[in-house]
């Protein structure tokens, strides 16, 4: 039997290969099916609208309620400030400095007793270390201490009100700068006592305005930070009012001025650590 060629009418088989007679071509390769996804434009718009509404609601809630939902989105960048206190002497107990405090007040010094590792009798405070070291170097037993106004956290404060609060917290710098300048003028005989009191009245008015600005922020009054800030601004204003009305017990006005800025600065630096 000849297996080389077999005729099956329309079908021809030869040597196990299909005859390529025009009818039995090799089958074409199937085209790859391409999947296409229609763009859902309106769906995308709807999602974006939802996100925008959510963000707007978040900001509105934060602004109107006074809560701190957004506080974690921002870090405070306020730089710290260092002040240099000139101490005339120190003691283990505060009463040991009482007599010396009265003496230094009579000479125009602050006479403020500052507690650190022990008690120090402060004569004045300077914003520049070189100035403080120069004064301390002329004293027997004089030394220089530093007190730092740290950058406050303010994470408890709503983001929308934080910048205004930072401006409010400049109250102590305002009081210190004004009183330090006034103490230098009094020492140099550049202004009379009445002129000095007029300048103190101006500082008092500024501090009262700052207090009003703080009240206008309408922060949560139940927060300890709110209570502390209001108390310190109120204390600073009260001290200035005492200065304007005659001072703290018969000492020279320049002494009372220095005592006043010592109290405001030390309390201010403690406040910033708490908020």
């Amino acid at each position: 039997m000849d297996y080389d060629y077999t005729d099956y009418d329309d079908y021809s088989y030869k040597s196990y290969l299909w005859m390529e007679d025009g009818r039995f071509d090799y089958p074409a390769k199937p085209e790859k099916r391409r999947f296409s996804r229609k763009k859902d434009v309106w769906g995308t718009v709807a999602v974006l609208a939802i996100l925008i509404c959510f963000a707007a609601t978040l900001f509105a809630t934060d602004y109107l309620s006074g809560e701190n939902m957004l506080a974690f989105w921002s870090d405070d960048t306020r730089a710290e400030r260092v002040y240099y206190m000139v101490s005339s002497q120190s003691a283990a107990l505060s009463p040991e400095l009482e007599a010396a405090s009265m003496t230094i007040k009579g000479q125009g010094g602050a006479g403020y007793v500052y507690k650190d590792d022990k008690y120090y009798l402060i004569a004045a405070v300077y914003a520049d270390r070189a100035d403080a070291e120069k004064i301390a170097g002329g004293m027997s037993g004089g030394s220089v201490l530093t007190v730092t106004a740290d950058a406050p956290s303010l994470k408890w404060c709503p983001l929308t009100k934080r910048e205004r609060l930072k401006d409010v917290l400049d109250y102590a710098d305002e009081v210190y700068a004004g009183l330090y300048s006034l103490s230098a003028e009094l020492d140099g005989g550049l202004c009379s006592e009445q002129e000095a009191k007029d300048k103190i009245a101006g500082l008092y008015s500024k501090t009262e305005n700052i207090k009003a600005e703080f009240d206008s922020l309408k922060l949560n009054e139940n927060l300890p930070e709110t209570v502390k800030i209001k108390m310190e601004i109120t204390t600073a204003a009260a001290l200035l009012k005492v200065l304007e009305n005659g001072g703290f017990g018969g000492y020279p006005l320049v002494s009372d001025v220095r005592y006043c800025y010592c109290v405001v600065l030390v309390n201010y630096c403690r406040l910033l650590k708490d908020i």
Side-chain angles (χ1 to χ4, degrees):
M1 182 179 290
D2 184 7
Y3 289 99
D4 238 3
Y5 183 84
T6 304
D7 186 4
Y8 296 98
D9 296 330
D10 290 339
Y11 297 92
S12 295
Y13 185 83
K14 183 178 181 180
S15 301
Y16 301 98
L17 293 176
W18 289 98
M19 294 295 294
E20 299 180 19
D21 60 359
R23 181 175 181 182
F24 299 103
D25 292 341
Y26 291 111
K29 293 182 179 179
E31 292 185 4
K32 292 184 178 179
R33 187 177 179 183
R34 296 181 179 179
F35 293 92
S36 62
R37 180 176 295 175
K38 294 182 179 180
K39 294 183 178 179
D40 187 355
V41 177
W42 288 110
T44 302
V45 171
V47 171
L48 289 174
I50 291 172
L51 291 174
I52 292 171
C53 289
F54 175 75
T57 302
L58 191 63
F59 275 90
T61 302
D62 181 74
Y63 181 80
L64 296 174
S65 68
E67 296 300 326
N68 60 341
M69 296 170 65
L70 305 176
F72 64 93
W73 287 3
S74 175
D75 292 326
D76 187 83
T77 56
R78 183 185 176 93
E80 66 177 22
R81 283 93 65 220
V82 180
Y83 300 95
Y84 304 93
M85 301 188 297
V86 175
S87 170
S88 59
Q89 65 184 88
S90 61
L93 299 174
S94 177
E96 297 178 33
L97 299 176
E98 186 174 343
S101 174
M102 295 174 64
T103 300
I104 200 170
K105 283 181 180 179
Q107 297 170 347
Y112 176 76
V113 178
Y114 173 71
K115 183 181 179 182
D116 194 17
D117 55 330
K118 51 185 174 181
Y119 293 90
Y120 294 86
L121 184 58
I122 306 302
V125 180
Y126 297 88
D128 184 78
R129 177 184 284 276
D131 291 339
E133 290 178 343
K134 181 179 179 181
I135 299 300
M139 294 180 174
S140 176
S143 62
V144 176
L145 305 175
T146 60
V147 60
T148 303
D150 294 320
S153 168
L154 301 186
K155 293 188 181 297
W156 54 272
C157 177
L159 181 63
T160 53
K161 301 179 181 180
R162 198 170 296 171
E163 286 303 316
R164 289 174 63 195
L165 179 57
K166 290 178 186 177
D167 292 337
V168 166
L169 288 172
D170 283 337
Y171 79 91
D173 294 320
E174 190 91 40
V175 171
Y176 171 72
L179 293 182
Y180 176 82
S181 176
L182 182 57
S183 68
E185 290 178 9
L186 287 169
D187 272 341
L190 301 178
C191 71
S192 67
E193 188 165 309
Q194 185 55 53
E195 288 172 333
K197 288 183 178 180
D198 290 341
K199 291 183 178 182
I200 292 168
L203 271 177
Y204 170 77
S205 179
K206 284 184 180 180
T207 307
E208 283 291 301
N209 290 338
I210 290 173
K211 186 168 67 172
E213 174 66 14
F214 177 70
D215 290 337
S216 73
L217 290 175
K218 299 187 182 302
L219 297 173
N220 187 341
E221 294 185 358
N222 294 321
L223 292 175
E225 292 86 356
T226 303
V227 175
K228 290 175 182 178
I229 293 172
K230 187 168 186 176
M231 182 179 68
E232 292 304 335
I233 298 175
T234 301
T235 299
L239 288 169
L240 290 168
K241 196 63 178 176
V242 170
L243 277 182
E244 183 187 351
N245 292 334
F248 303 96
Y251 295 105
L253 181 58
V254 67
S255 169
D256 289 339
V257 166
R258 288 185 171 121
Y259 178 83
C260 181
Y261 70 53
C262 282
V263 175
V264 171
L265 273 185
V266 170
N267 288 350
Y268 177 62
C269 291
R270 289 171 179 165
L271 169 68
L272 294 185
K273 293 182 186 298
D274 292 338
I275 62 172

